[in-house]
Amino acid sequence: MEIGGAEIGGVGSTVRLRVRVEGIVQGVGFRPFVHTLATKLRLAGHVGNDVSGVFIEVEGPVETVEEFLAALRRLAPPLSVVDRVATEPMPPTDTRGFAIVASDRAGTAATLISADSATCADCLRELDDPADRRYRYPFINCTNCGPRFTIVRGVPYDRPLTTMAGFPMCPACTAEYHDPADRRFHAQPTCCPDCGPALVLRDAAGSPLPGDPIAGAAGALRAGRILAVKGLGGYHLACSATDPEAAGRLRSRKHREDKPFAVMVPDLATARRLCEVDPVSEALLVSRAGPIVLMDRRGNGGVAGPVAPGNRALGVLLPYTPLHHLLLRHAAGPIVLTSGNVSDEPIAYGDTDAATRLAPIADTFLTHDRPVHVRTDDSVVRAFRDRPMLLRRSRGYAPEPVRLAWDTPRPVLACGAELKNTFCLARGRHAVVSQHIGDLENYPTLRSYAEGIEHFRRLFDVTPAVIAYDPHPEYLSTKYALEHEVTDRVAVQHHHAHIASCLADNGHPGPVIGVAFDGTGYGTDGTIWGGELLIADLAGFTRAGHFAPVPLPGGAAAIRHPWRMAVAYLDSAFAGAPPDGLDLLRRHDGSWRQVAALGRGGLNSPPTSSAGRLFDAVAALIGVRDTANYEGQAAIELEQRTDRAEDGAYRAGIEPGEPLLIAGVDLIRAAAADLTAGVAPGIIAARFHNGMVDAIVRACAVLRDASGLATVALSGGVFQNLLLLDRAVSRLSAAGFEVLTHSRVPPNDGGISLGQAAVAAALDRASRRTAPSDRAPTTSPPGMPDHAQVIQPAAT
Ligand SMILES: [Zn+2]
Ligand SMILES: [Zn+2]
């Protein structure tokens, strides 16, 4: 065999190797796996944990050792992720037997912590086995499943540093825990009815209710009551998904007017009755991450109207904890399972907090005494062209690293965006993107953001040398970045971060033509960008094109009220004299002229090139929605209303130049003309979508001619619109472009932190190549001089 370039051990001879395994290899049953494998192959040696992973020494006939190394990757335990296996020959010692040896705790922690994992098949079998000592025990788990990230308080990942510390193991659990042949060997959260957490059912006032908690909770659901349930990463609110009154009551108590609820179904068969389950969606539903999977609905499938009003898609998830499995079996039917909070607040995860905040919403509480250490929302994903597309990357995915295709020379902390915030710690080839933090607009969320960063720094033992952040002066994440002590800082423009995120997601270094379409991002000229065409690589970008700006009349008010955006667009499109008879203007007869004048005057009406706002304007113009109750609502409903059979397209003018300008007003003018002529809103919505696609393809063709680049990266929240994304990918591919889309991180602002980290790492690599003694400022690559992102020494 060949080790490190040298041929060692002829056929039949005995060899001894030192083997290092790196990745997610602790707390996932890796040592017992190695022990079992080596014993089966009659190899000698030992295995143990240390701070950088698993170390092995193995000795035996050369062919058998080769077989061992091959099986090490191929048969690795389900929760493990093997990043690297390094081997080194040693002189044979002629010892016998294979042992698991004590852990070596010296040095710094470079190991990775597994995400929480849905209950495995072996545990489900025990859950249903009346002869098993964990029969119907709602906290059953093992080496291959159960809580991980949400219960970890510190490293090394051992029981005393988890929220299971308060539950000393009984003799039976202790015996399993220490038995290398047992499937609970060193399973830190293992427990049983004798020693583990217990369920309790309480009323809204906090008094315990008698009887079996599961049966009682299921009875409450069947009776139409609202149930608060403590899950892995926090509390959920649940009600029957087939009871319109219960779902309506949950909506009004939660102050959540329209945003769709997710539905937990007992099994795949029920999911298939409700939705079109394609193979990618099925794999996601049953995956150990257990996310909410968005799928197209089949009729209403018995789901009550208020669950996901007016939505073609439904978010569905399967039970992912034993508690959910037991509850769903008793509840007899799908249940709404939505975050345990009021409207936009962070979800409740502490028991006292939940009891206080959820008391006005929930009639009954199904809770327990295992603390949640890290608040973690459910992840949301949907299938796009045979790949998953993460829309919210949280429980089940975080904090497992996103593998990078390049090195990060110095550790980076990327602070993320303001909305749908995540942060990211990058080191080497790993980017650890945090769970979904949420909108940093309120104090509780900001606090959990700062605490979350500290927690990750300790967990992964990273001291960032570079902080990357969004230059928007008002973002709280920006303020955090500027107040924080660090060696260097880099401000990464919002839409450049989107494109860099798409590049990192795909392992593509660029340069590419980046199409970054979203609602709002701070531009380098101080205006609000959001419909951007960038020539970009990881280190810099040129703003090569964008939608021609229109005023955002009243600033934030125009984001909440799409009709204001429609007025601004009509005012631009028709030079202050929009056609008579538009219903929109009749609806806002008393105020549209003031809004138009406000936009024209410029006071509190910054110009914006936002593509998201153009979708808003069309939605309001054709009567889909005047006021948004949640971010992106008007655009989402416009997509829902589209007549998919219509293939006509409005044509937006493209004015050549640097940057080229796309005339969004042309689309508004065409839509207004169709509306006046009595064309149905669904047809207008389709022609608008197709017109956007057409504008993207023509603009990219112009930029290809100018730059020679034939790869397009699509990013930004607007590309959560699958109709737009699908048609854009088809048309761009047909025009000969290679197209990059998101998969591992969201196209929305949840992916911004990864993009910021990728930019910071690229600048660091470039500065090491060009100016080893003087790191800043970094020069931009040839051909893209406009907006080189620059690393700034932080000490001033
Ligand atoms: Zn299990
Ligand atoms: Zn026990």
Side-chain angles (χ1 to χ4, degrees):
M1 71 189 301
E2 202 182 62
I3 296 291
E7 185 70 25
I8 64 156
V11 176
S13 65
T14 294
V15 292
R16 188 178 184 91
L17 293 183
R18 178 177 288 133
V19 185
R20 289 219 53 85
V21 188
E22 291 169 15
I24 300 175
V25 290
Q26 294 189 4
V28 293
F30 210 88
R31 287 173 302 161
F33 153 70
V34 170
H35 179 267
T36 307
L37 179 65
T39 309
K40 202 179 79 193
L41 295 173
R42 297 171 184 280
L43 294 169
H46 60 254
V47 58
N49 279 344
D50 64 15
V51 287
S52 52
V54 164
F55 61 87
I56 304 168
E57 285 187 21
V58 63
E59 178 171 334
V62 62
E63 300 81 4
T64 319
V65 170
E66 277 177 350
E67 194 182 336
F68 171 83
L69 288 178
L72 209 53
R73 278 179 182 275
R74 200 180 65 242
L75 305 176
L79 292 195
S80 68
V81 179
V82 176
D83 277 345
R84 206 167 89 92
V85 178
T87 53
E88 179 191 339
M90 305 174 66
T93 61
D94 204 25
T95 48
R96 295 287 143 95
F98 199 91
I100 296 180
V101 298
S103 298
D104 179 358
R105 295 286 178 216
T108 55
T111 53
L112 300 164
I113 287 161
S114 162
D116 301 271
S117 173
T119 312
C120 75
D122 289 334
C123 283
L124 283 180
R125 255 192 302 281
E126 291 179 2
L127 189 70
D128 288 336
D129 178 2
D132 193 275
R133 68 190 189 89
R134 294 186 180 85
Y135 176 55
R136 299 196 70 236
Y137 181 56
F139 303 95
I140 189 169
N141 67 78
C142 72
T143 313
N144 294 335
C145 76
R148 293 289 187 279
F149 172 58
T150 53
I151 62 165
V152 172
R153 293 191 289 118
V155 281
Y157 171 64
D158 276 334
R159 192 175 179 103
L161 287 178
T162 70
T163 64
M164 286 300 291
F167 300 94
M169 279 186 278
C170 68
C173 285
T174 308
E176 292 168 349
Y177 181 89
H178 289 295
D179 176 5
D182 194 276
R183 63 187 205 84
R184 293 194 170 86
F185 176 71
H186 279 222
Q188 305 303 342
T190 190
C191 56
C192 75
D194 289 339
C195 63
L199 277 185
V200 59
L201 193 67
R202 295 181 192 279
D203 64 18
S207 306
L209 296 167
D212 175 46
I214 294 279
L221 290 172
R222 279 197 304 273
R225 286 201 276 276
I226 311 292
L227 179 72
V229 192
K230 188 174 177 183
L232 273 181
Y235 278 77
H236 285 104
L237 289 162
C239 71
S240 163
T242 54
D243 180 342
E245 282 170 29
R249 205 153 44 235
L250 177 53
R251 262 195 197 290
S252 67
R253 290 189 196 169
K254 221 173 119 66
H255 303 298
R256 177 147 149 169
E257 279 132 328
D258 305 303
K259 201 173 179 181
F261 288 142
V263 172
M264 182 176 266
V265 297
D267 47 38
L268 261 182
T270 313
R272 283 188 217 287
R273 271 206 303 283
L274 302 186
C275 295
E276 300 290 343
V277 184
D278 59 282
V280 177
S281 297
E282 177 176 333
L284 288 165
L285 281 169
V286 303
S287 70
R288 66 179 183 82
I292 295 169
V293 183
L294 286 181
M295 295 172 290
D296 285 339
R297 298 167 82 151
R298 303 176 59 184
N300 75 3
V303 169
V307 172
N311 219 300
R312 284 178 204 245
L314 186 67
V316 173
L317 76 169
L318 293 180
Y320 58 84
T321 67
L323 172 54
H324 293 139
H325 280 282
L326 294 170
L327 184 62
L328 266 286
R329 282 172 208 175
H330 280 73
I335 62 169
V336 165
L337 200 70
T338 184
S339 46
N341 59 3
V342 179
S343 191
D344 294 327
E345 289 176 2
I347 57 171
Y349 69 102
D351 297 322
T352 318
D353 183 41
T356 314
R357 277 166 57 202
L358 304 183
I361 307 176
D363 304 304
T364 314
F365 285 70
L366 181 59
T367 182
H368 58 78
D369 50 353
R370 184 181 71 204
V372 176
H373 186 69
V374 179
R375 169 174 71 84
T376 311
D377 295 63
D378 290 323
S379 294
V380 183
V381 61
R382 78 179 302 168
F384 177 68
R385 296 193 172 212
D386 300 331
R387 283 206 305 179
M389 180 169 76
L390 264 298
L391 299 176
R392 181 164 75 200
R393 187 180 181 280
S394 203
R395 180 191 48 78
Y397 296 94
E400 293 185 7
V402 175
R403 288 279 291 164
L404 299 173
W406 41 72
D407 193 42
T408 307
R410 291 183 296 161
V412 175
L413 166 64
C415 293
E418 178 88 336
L419 300 178
K420 296 185 167 63
N421 177 278
T422 60
F423 58 84
C424 172
L425 278 179
R427 173 173 61 188
R429 291 192 169 227
H430 284 152
V432 180
V433 180
S434 75
Q435 78 278 22
H436 169 80
I437 303 292
D439 300 348
L440 295 183
E441 289 171 320
N442 54 51
Y443 178 71
T445 315
L446 181 66
R447 195 180 55 192
S448 76
Y449 172 75
E451 287 170 358
I453 291 174
E454 283 315 304
H455 185 53
F456 271 60
R457 285 179 54 166
R458 283 195 306 272
L459 232 45
F460 300 100
D461 194 34
V462 175
T463 304
V466 184
I467 281 188
Y469 63 99
D470 194 299
H472 194 302
E474 297 304 318
Y475 279 9
L476 292 174
S477 57
T478 305
K479 292 178 179 171
Y480 178 91
L482 296 178
E483 285 164 8
H484 217 79
E485 249 176 68
V486 69
T487 313
D488 290 331
R489 291 196 189 94
V490 55
V492 182
Q493 196 279 328
H494 189 89
H495 301 96
H496 183 211
H498 270 308
I499 299 305
S501 171
C502 189
L503 293 176
D505 198 336
N506 289 280
H508 193 296
V512 292
I513 300 168
V515 181
F517 282 6
D518 66 0
T520 302
Y522 189 72
T524 53
D525 57 1
T527 71
I528 298 171
W529 294 9
E532 310 306 310
L533 292 143
L534 312 179
I535 302 290
D537 64 7
L538 292 167
F541 72 97
T542 292
R543 192 187 194 196
H546 57 86
F547 278 90
V550 294
L552 188 67
I559 299 173
R560 282 194 306 275
H561 300 289
W563 72 267
R564 285 173 163 252
M565 221 44 233
V567 168
Y569 258 110
L570 286 170
D571 196 57
S572 284
F574 296 99
D580 290 335
L582 288 175
D583 201 47
L584 173 96
L585 302 182
R586 260 203 301 276
R587 288 199 301 276
H588 301 280
D589 193 29
S591 48
W592 76 263
R593 283 182 187 83
Q594 289 98 299
V595 169
L598 180 68
R600 245 175 284 141
L603 184 69
N604 191 22
S605 301
T608 183
S609 56
S610 166
R613 297 289 89 79
L614 179 53
F615 274 84
D616 282 359
V618 174
L621 175 65
I622 67 174
V624 169
R625 178 153 293 275
D626 280 351
T627 291
N629 293 317
Y630 62 91
E631 196 213 353
Q633 184 181 15
I636 289 166
E637 292 180 356
L638 185 67
E639 179 192 2
Q640 305 286 342
R641 287 284 290 276
T642 299
D643 183 335
R644 297 184 182 223
E646 170 64 28
D647 54 12
Y650 300 140
R651 190 173 174 87
I654 294 180
E655 187 186 312
E658 292 173 2
L660 66 77
L661 293 177
I662 305 172
V665 289
D666 291 348
L667 304 178
I668 293 289
R669 222 177 275 119
D674 268 356
L675 198 60
T676 311
V679 175
I683 302 284
I684 299 177
R687 290 174 182 170
F688 167 70
H689 274 84
N690 297 337
M692 289 293 278
V693 170
D694 182 64
I696 290 169
V697 177
R698 282 186 293 125
C700 287
V702 171
L703 298 180
R704 175 169 59 187
D705 289 345
S707 67
L709 298 172
T711 303
V712 175
L714 303 176
S715 190
V718 167
F719 287 108
Q720 294 173 100
N721 179 329
L722 276 209
L723 181 67
L724 181 79
L725 181 65
D726 187 58
R727 291 186 180 182
V729 171
S730 295
R731 288 276 318 276
L732 285 166
S733 305
F737 288 100
E738 179 194 4
V739 187
L740 307 178
T741 60
H742 280 275
S743 176
R744 298 185 293 167
V745 296
N748 60 45
D749 283 5
I752 285 284
S753 63
L754 177 66
Q756 292 171 340
V759 169
L763 294 175
D764 229 8
R765 287 195 303 277
S767 67
R768 272 154 199 246
R769 275 196 304 273
T770 54
S773 59
D774 175 22
R775 266 200 317 272
T778 306
T779 50
S780 58
M784 45 182 75
D786 285 13
H787 299 289
Q789 314 272 354
V790 173
I791 292 192
Q792 303 279 11
T796 45

